[in-house]
Amino acid sequence: AGIAPGTILNDGCIAAMGEVGSLFEQGEMFVPEMLIAARAMQAGMAILKPHLSEDEVIAVGKVVVGTVSGDLHDIGKNLVAMMMEGAGFEVVDLGTDVKPEAFVAAVTEHSPDIVGMSALLTTTMPSMTATVEALVEAGVRDKVKVLIGGAPVTQQFSDQIGADGYAPDASSASRKAKALVA
Ligand code: B1M
């Protein structure tokens, strides 16, 4: 129909997810419906993915991404990974509920330029702090840039935990990642 993939993603899929969140807050939708919405979104993203990353890519750096410990939300993290791939990064996706020691192990194994963390729950934001602390304790904090994001995350929180950057959405995350490796 000639609609740009970015428009489908932002005005269709992401806007619809916002509506699901509001209905959940109002007690009109429950966890099973959120899960169905999440599966529909994942299926839609699989169709959009090749169109979102169709520009020719040159490897600009390596990123390890994951949703932090205790948190199972992965749609936003997957979008960030997709946009970064589209921007030319090699992406190592650690999945969800990633413990601080697993981030440290991935830094040792893959030597990425950036560690990207996603959190969707206010209760899992402290896992970001714990991960930064684990990177410091393992002596690898200065080898990587730390980029964080997710609905409850703010620039202020990023500054507070000593991250190198915060991005409010997937496209600014890939822009920020490029700026961090430049
Ligand atoms: Co959850 N959930 N959920 N949930 N869920 C939220 C987050 C919530 C806001 C809903 C609400 O109350 N309105 C609320 C959190 C409240 C809070 O902490 N303040 C909530 C809750 C409470 C819960 C449970 C506790 C519910 C329960 O069991 N009682 C539970 C927790 C489970 C757990 O993680 N341990 C739970 C479970 C689930 C499902 C499993 C059912 C499902 C997730 C399925 C999945 O991800 N595979 C789910 C869903 C779907 C949602 C909502 C409806 C949608 C999330 C989403 O995918 N959004 C959500 C409400 C909402 O957000 N409106 C909600 C679309 C996605 C594209 O956006 O993830 O924000 P987002 O990502 C954005 C940006 O944040 C940013 O870029 C992305 C793209 O633009 N970004 C980054 C994300 N990561 C980034 C990383 C970066 C940079 C940018 O750098 C590395």
Side-chain angles (χ1 to χ4, degrees):
I3 303 170
T7 306
I8 298 173
L9 179 67
N10 292 313
D11 300 352
C13 306
I14 294 182
M17 265 307 189
E19 183 65 18
V20 170
S22 306
L23 290 169
F24 178 74
E25 274 170 31
Q26 293 158 28
E28 295 286 332
M29 269 197 185
F30 300 93
V31 173
E33 282 124 331
M34 280 212 290
L35 210 45
I36 291 166
R39 283 185 191 151
M41 174 122 185
Q42 302 275 25
M45 276 164 49
I47 296 167
L48 286 174
K49 184 176 176 180
H51 303 284
L52 287 168
S53 29
E54 68 193 359
D55 295 343
E56 198 169 310
V57 291
I58 309 151
V60 292
K62 196 190 278 188
V63 189
V64 159
V65 291
T67 302
V68 295
S69 181
D71 203 318
L72 302 174
H73 296 85
D74 67 354
I75 297 173
K77 182 265 297 166
N78 293 346
L79 263 176
V80 168
M82 214 185 268
M83 294 298 279
M84 286 194 177
E85 274 176 4
F89 284 94
E90 182 184 343
V91 177
V92 179
D93 189 345
L94 304 180
T96 59
D97 190 15
V98 182
K99 307 274 176 289
E101 52 274 25
F103 276 109
V104 171
V107 168
T108 311
E109 186 186 344
H110 301 287
S111 305
D113 302 288
I114 297 174
V115 170
M117 290 186 268
S118 178
L120 259 287
L121 300 169
T122 45
T123 50
T124 57
M125 287 167 67
S127 300
M128 292 181 155
T129 318
T131 303
V132 172
E133 285 168 359
L135 292 169
V136 171
E137 273 165 33
V140 294
R141 174 65 186 91
D142 57 351
K143 294 193 168 68
V144 289
K145 300 287 184 191
V146 174
L147 177 65
I148 63 170
V153 178
T154 60
Q155 181 62 53
Q156 193 192 1
F157 180 71
S158 167
D159 297 341
Q160 193 184 312
I161 69 166
D164 298 295
Y166 153 77
D169 55 55
S171 51
S172 47
S174 72
R175 272 200 307 277
K176 191 91 194 182
K178 276 189 165 174
L180 286 174
V181 296

